[in-house]
Amino acid sequence: MGIEEFVNKSEGEWRSMRSGHSLAFRQFEQVISSIKISSLSIDDKKVVDIINTHSNVPGEIIIPFSMEWEAESDWENENISSSSSGSTILIPFAISTKKGYIIRSEGYTEKMKVLSYYSFLSDGTLLLSTEYQHTVSEERIWFIAEHVRCRSSVTKDKKSLGILQTSFASEVRRVNNSNQN
Amino acid sequence: MGIEEFVNKSEGEWRSMRSGHSLAFRQFEQVISSIKISSLSIDDKKVVDIINTHSNVPGEIIIPFSMEWEAESDWENENISSSSSGSTILIPFAISTKKGYIIRSEGYTEKMKVLSYYSFLSDGTLLLSTEYQHTVSEERIWFIAEHVRCRSSVTKDKKSLGILQTSFASEVRRVNNSNQN
């Protein structure tokens, strides 16, 4: 599994069930949202704009894509910030078939342009490591069926590396027929 | 990472936050529970009894251990069966440093003696695959800090392989000082 195959497999509309665990407070949050993933042309103006501001990122540009999300229902705790809807453009820079960087036009945890490091485990699980201004996020995304992905994340405080939150999402692709597997 | 190191790292008392996702019904469940993991002697009578009824399992017996769990709070959906407390003995049979079988004296999903196949991903994530009477369960367990584990599971219908449920647990070890990382 390389990043191109992973993005190709991820294209489409997904319905996500996401649970968050605040470890220190033992609080749960849960959100149902829609996510749309679409590949973009490397000549797309928005893609070119982002690339131009990150000319120092090493690697070969591969399959830029966009993600749009919208929360359908949200029982989140007030002290956890997240957008109920939004979109981001992601541009992978491969430094080998199994690893590289991804530029994101807007981060999930903090709103800024962010650079993630990605790699793959032996079973094709995508690992994403991202430094934000105050936090570090480690995500893993893996397919459990053609139309079902799992995504887990860990958010750590950047200074203390204390774990602030974990989360887990089950994502089911919207398909025309009812077979989701 | 082999199974002996994994069990050694897992010994102790854990506080678990677990979220379940019923994909077809888009229902969440959440449970807080305590889990205690202890290694056992290979001469322990309960261990010997289990081994004697599974003389056909290949591999070398390594570090038997017990798991005890007790739900502290439980908002589970009624149609999902699970025990609020219980204990099980697990006996790994290594067929190489990275894979083997685990006999469990009582399964989580259905109460019977069960045989799991285990292996490790390149980053030390433990994969467990278990066939029950009507379902198949795929679990992965990984450490995100010395005292914090994540555990995800997927439960599939054995006939159709349709995904019935996913779940995710964040497990924090009870330690004497307050540093959990």
Side-chain angles (χ1 to χ4, degrees), chain B:
Chain B
M1 181 88 80
I3 193 68
E4 185 165 15
E5 184 185 349
F6 196 92
V7 174
N8 282 333
K9 284 183 69 169
S10 299
E11 277 201 89
E13 286 187 52
W14 301 81
R15 178 70 60 83
S16 163
M17 294 178 70
R18 182 178 169 280
S19 294
H21 297 169
S22 293
L23 300 191
F25 304 104
R26 281 188 212 138
Q27 281 178 332
F28 292 88
E29 54 163 350
Q30 48 198 46
V31 189
I32 291 180
S33 57
S34 288
I35 298 170
K36 187 178 174 187
I37 299 176
S38 320
S39 65
L40 297 172
S41 163
I42 208 161
D43 303 319
D44 186 300
K45 189 184 177 312
K46 287 173 290 189
V47 172
V48 173
D49 283 352
I50 297 168
I51 292 169
N52 285 343
T53 61
H54 288 275
S55 56
N56 57 339
V57 178
E60 180 194 359
I61 295 167
I62 290 184
I63 199 164
F65 60 103
S66 67
M67 276 183 66
E68 298 163 68
W69 65 92
E70 187 164 11
E72 293 183 10
S73 63
D74 192 335
W75 299 269
E76 282 195 66
N77 198 288
E78 286 177 300
N79 64 0
I80 294 155
S81 68
S82 80
S83 306
S84 61
S85 71
S87 68
T88 183
I89 291 173
L90 299 102
I91 305 174
F93 287 70
I95 54 179
S96 78
T97 54
K98 295 286 179 203
K99 60 189 180 184
Y101 296 94
I102 295 179
I103 292 175
R104 205 182 291 185
S105 63
E106 184 186 66
Y108 279 93
T109 310
E110 295 166 15
K111 289 195 177 185
M112 55 183 295
K113 270 182 197 145
V114 287
L115 183 69
S116 300
Y117 174 76
Y118 77 83
S119 60
F120 287 92
L121 293 183
S122 44
D123 73 332
T125 299
L126 174 65
L127 301 184
L128 274 172
S129 176
T130 310
E131 278 195 24
Y132 296 94
Q133 199 172 347
H134 301 298
T135 58
V136 175
S137 157
E138 287 162 16
E139 287 178 90
R140 44 180 70 199
I141 308 173
W142 65 101
F143 284 82
I144 57 173
E146 186 185 350
H147 299 305
V148 188
R149 310 194 318 173
C150 292
R151 180 206 307 241
S152 71
S153 79
V154 178
T155 307
K156 297 180 180 177
D157 181 80
K158 201 168 172 177
K159 268 192 186 162
S160 70
L161 291 182
I163 294 169
L164 305 173
Q165 211 205 15
T166 60
S167 80
F168 178 72
S170 307
E171 301 175 341
V172 179
R173 197 195 314 264
R174 290 173 193 245
V175 285
N176 290 334
N177 61 52
S178 62
N179 178 13
Q180 297 180 333
N181 301 305

